[in-house]
Amino acid sequence: MSLIKKIKDYYKKNKTYLFTTPSHSQGNFIIPVLKEIIGKNYFKNDFSEIEGFDNLREPEGVIKKLLNDISKIYDTKATFMLTNGSTSGIVAAMLAVLKTDDKVIIARNCHISVYNGLVLSGARPVWFLPEFDNNWGIYKGITGADIKKQIAQNPDAKALIITSPTYEGTFSEIEDIAKLCKKKNITLIVDEAHGALLNFAHFKVRPAIQCGADISIQSLHKTAGAPNPCAVLHISKSSKISAESIQQALNLINTTSPSYPMMCAIEGTVKYLNSQKGKKHITKLFKIIDDFKKTLPDSVEIYSNNNDITKILLKIKGVNSLAVAELLNNKFNIEEEFSTDEALLFITGIGTDSKKLKALQKALKKISKMRIDKREDQSTLSYSLPQMIYTPAEAYKKNKITIDANNAEGKISAEAIVKYPPGIPVLLPGEVIDLNSMFSIEKSQITICE
Ligand SMILES: Cc1ncc(COP(=O)(O)O)c(C=O)c1O
C-alpha cells in the first residue's frame, strides 16, 4: 500500500488518541501564524512512527513497500528517500564508500556537501579542475579522457565523485567514465542533484545510474516539483555497494523523526513523474523552452553545448550580464538563479509555464534594445588548485586562530572560501593561502590552522 493512501485511510477509520510526538497532535492545535505559512494539512499528516506507519531507519512495512515501488520505477538495486536533500545523500554515499585516508578523486566544481563528506569520512581528496569555458564562465562537462588521466595518476583511488549535470546544466561522459572506474574497481558517485527529470524524459543523456554509475543522488525539489528539500539516492543494479551500507550511513546522519509529509511528497512526485500525465508535462516543458528560445532576438545568445534543456544559460552579445541581471531585477521583477559578467542562468522545471517564459522573453527583447554599457573587463575564473597540507578532516580538528587577511599568505586556511557564482571552493580548510588566487573576495580577517 502507498504511504499516501495509508495516511488517508487512517482518517477514514476511528481516530486513535495518540499520546505521541509531534505535539501539535495531528494539527489539534496549530500556532496561528504557522497555519498561514505551512497550512493545516501539513500538520494533520505530520505523524511519527505510530502503529502501522513503519520506520525510515529500519523499514519493514509501508515505507519498505514504498521504497521497493520507487526502486522499481527507477530500475535500481535500491533507492532511498532523503528528507534532508541531496546534501544528506552525498554525505551518506561518501560515508558508505570511504574510510579514513582512502583516496577519492573529486572534480573541484562539486557542491559543498562533498566537503562535509570529506570531514566526516576522513577521506583524502585528490582534486582536479574540469576544463573552464571562459566565454560562459562555467565548467565544461568531464570527459572520459579527463578521468583516464586522473585514474592513471591515482590507480589506488577508492572512489570518484563528479557532478553531472552541473548547476549550469553541462553533462559529463558518464558512460565512458563508468567503464574506466569499473576496470579499476573505483566506485563512481554522481551528484545528479540537478538531473531529477532525466529518468522521465528523452534528454541528450540517460540518467547516471543507467550509464554505469554506482550511486547517484537527485534533488526532487530543484527541477521535479517537490518541496524543499526532497531528494532520492539510487544504487545501480550492477553496483557492488550494498543497500545496508547506505542505510547505515543515512542512520548516522539523519533525524530519528523523519517528516511523513515529506515522504508523501517524494512518493507523490516520483509517481507523478512516472505517470503518462507527468511524462506529458515534461514534454510540454521542453516544448515551451524550445519555443522560448526560438523567439528571442538575435542579440541573445543561448548556451547549447551538451547541456540540460531545463537550464537556460544566456547572454546578450557584447553586454555585461551583471548589468542585464540588474535591469531584469529592478525594472522587470525577474530574478535569475545567478549571473556573472559572462552569462545569466535561469532554472526551469515542473512549475515553469509559458507565461513565466514569455515575461522573460519580453524583458530580454526590451533590454536588447536599450543602450547599456558594453562589456569593459571580463573577469574570468582562471584558477589553479591550492596546495593541500591537511585533509579536510584533519584541518577540522586543528586549533584555529583568526588573523588579519594581509598576514595570511602561506598560512594554512581553516575556513572554506567559496566564490559565488559559480560556487566553487577557492580555498578549503587544510589548504595553503595564496592571496593572489583569491580573486576579488574581500576579507579583512581569515581563520587559519595553528
Ligand atoms: C550540484 C549540487 N549538488 C548538491 C546540492 C545539494 O542539494 P540539496 O539542496 O537537495 O541538499 C546542490 C544544491 O544547490 C547542488 O547545486
Side-chain angles (χ1 to χ4, degrees):
M1 181 191 282
S2 112
L3 182 62
I4 293 176
K5 186 162 181 331
K6 178 114 187 154
I7 291 185
K8 280 187 179 174
D9 284 357
Y10 176 80
Y11 285 105
K12 283 186 198 150
K13 290 191 200 134
N14 284 341
K15 217 175 127 197
T16 310
Y17 288 103
L18 297 175
F19 286 89
T20 62
T21 61
S23 56
H24 54 70
S25 293
Q26 286 69 59
N28 192 39
F29 173 74
I30 306 174
I31 294 167
V33 70
L34 301 187
K35 213 184 275 181
E36 243 177 89
I37 297 290
I38 303 174
K40 217 166 146 185
N41 276 345
Y42 185 94
F43 286 90
K44 186 177 154 197
N45 301 314
D46 184 29
F47 284 89
S48 280
E49 293 98 340
I50 56 168
E51 194 56 40
F53 278 84
D54 209 3
N55 185 324
L56 187 62
R57 290 172 69 85
E58 284 177 65
E60 285 175 345
V62 65
I63 293 179
K64 178 147 182 100
K65 163 84 174 64
L66 173 56
L67 289 170
N68 285 342
D69 287 353
I70 294 179
S71 166
K72 264 193 205 132
I73 289 174
Y74 286 104
D75 195 24
T76 57
K77 181 196 257 187
T79 291
F80 294 83
M81 293 191 282
L82 306 170
T83 57
N84 193 22
S86 287
T87 298
S88 64
I90 289 166
V91 172
M94 291 173 72
L95 288 175
V97 171
L98 297 165
K99 295 190 186 67
T100 304
D101 281 334
D102 276 352
K103 211 188 237 189
V104 49
I105 306 170
I106 310 175
R108 185 75 170 202
N109 61 334
C110 65
H111 184 253
I112 197 69
S113 50
V114 174
Y115 163 74
N116 302 348
L118 286 170
V119 172
L120 294 173
S121 67
R124 189 167 287 277
V126 177
W127 300 104
F128 74 98
L129 275 172
E131 205 183 322
F132 195 71
D133 184 334
N134 285 315
N135 269 331
W136 289 92
I138 62 168
Y139 282 97
K140 293 184 184 176
I142 298 157
T143 63
D146 294 335
I147 295 304
K148 199 169 180 180
K149 203 164 111 198
Q150 291 304 322
I151 293 181
Q153 287 165 9
N154 305 284
D156 53 341
K158 286 279 179 322
L160 166 68
I161 305 176
I162 58 174
T163 308
S164 177
T166 59
Y167 184 40
E168 302 88 356
T170 52
F171 288 116
S172 294
E173 294 176 356
I174 304 292
E175 222 160 309
D176 293 352
I177 294 170
K179 277 183 201 148
L180 292 163
C181 287
K182 283 244 153 52
K183 261 193 214 159
K184 293 283 178 194
N185 211 14
I186 293 174
T187 301
L188 175 58
I189 300 172
V190 178
D191 173 354
E192 212 172 38
H194 289 274
L197 295 180
L198 288 177
N199 305 68
F200 305 101
H202 294 290
F203 279 82
K204 279 181 187 159
V205 305
R206 288 178 301 141
I209 221 75
Q210 287 173 26
C211 295
D214 288 278
I215 297 172
S216 75
I217 301 106
Q218 299 175 322
S219 295
L220 294 174
H221 61 95
K222 289 188 192 296
T223 51
N228 274 340
C230 293
V232 281
L233 179 152
H234 309 293
I235 310 176
S236 74
K237 277 187 167 158
S238 62
S239 177
K240 61 184 187 314
I241 302 300
S242 70
E244 291 73 25
S245 66
I246 296 287
Q247 183 72 64
Q248 254 178 22
L250 283 170
N251 290 354
L252 216 53
I253 56 171
N254 273 348
T255 171
T256 53
S257 310
S259 157
Y260 275 76
M262 280 187 59
M263 286 192 268
C264 288
I266 294 173
E267 174 183 350
T269 303
V270 172
K271 288 185 178 170
Y272 177 73
L273 295 176
N274 194 44
S275 68
Q276 282 310 315
K277 218 172 175 179
K279 286 176 182 163
K280 270 192 194 152
H281 190 143
I282 305 172
T283 309
K284 190 169 166 212
L285 173 68
F286 285 8
K287 168 132 185 23
I288 60 172
I289 295 172
D290 243 3
D291 290 349
F292 161 80
K293 289 180 179 171
K294 281 182 200 146
T295 50
L296 289 174
D298 287 346
S299 55
V300 176
E301 199 180 336
I302 301 247
Y303 185 78
S304 59
N305 181 14
N306 182 31
N307 70 321
D308 168 359
I309 181 170
T310 66
K311 297 283 184 336
I312 303 174
L313 187 72
L314 58 78
K315 60 170 113 180
I316 298 182
K317 285 174 203 161
V319 178
N320 186 300
S321 293
L322 292 175
V324 177
E326 208 172 298
L327 283 167
L328 281 173
N329 278 253
N330 298 339
K331 290 216 175 349
F332 298 93
N333 292 328
I334 292 176
E335 187 169 327
E336 78 290 6
E337 170 68 23
F338 81 70
S339 45
T340 59
D341 284 322
E342 289 79 19
L344 301 114
L345 178 71
F346 302 87
I347 292 190
T348 70
I350 285 297
T352 308
D353 60 7
S354 46
K355 190 172 159 210
K356 195 161 146 183
L357 289 171
K358 275 205 180 99
L360 177 59
Q361 176 222 6
K362 267 191 186 164
L364 289 170
K365 263 188 186 160
K366 284 194 180 149
I367 294 174
S368 297
K369 287 181 190 147
M370 289 179 184
R371 268 183 61 89
I372 309 168
D373 286 344
K374 296 284 169 198
R375 200 181 279 261
E376 279 172 12
D377 77 312
Q378 257 196 356
S379 81
T380 50
L381 191 87
S382 68
Y383 172 59
S384 57
L385 286 169
Q387 187 192 356
M388 185 179 82
I389 303 294
Y390 302 129
T391 65
E394 287 164 348
Y396 188 81
K397 290 176 193 145
K398 294 278 170 198
N399 289 333
K400 298 161 184 102
I401 47 164
T402 301
I403 61 166
D404 192 303
N406 291 323
N407 302 329
E409 182 70 27
K411 303 269 190 319
I412 302 167
S413 181
E415 58 180 284
I417 297 180
V418 182
K419 164 107 171 138
Y420 286 104
I424 306 304
V426 172
L427 192 68
L428 284 173
E431 292 176 345
V432 177
I433 299 167
D434 170 2
L435 292 173
N436 282 334
S437 73
M438 282 169 61
F439 314 101
S440 53
I441 292 163
E442 283 155 24
K443 276 187 84 66
S444 57
Q445 297 205 302
I446 189 161
T447 305
I448 59 163
C449 297
E450 259 189 321

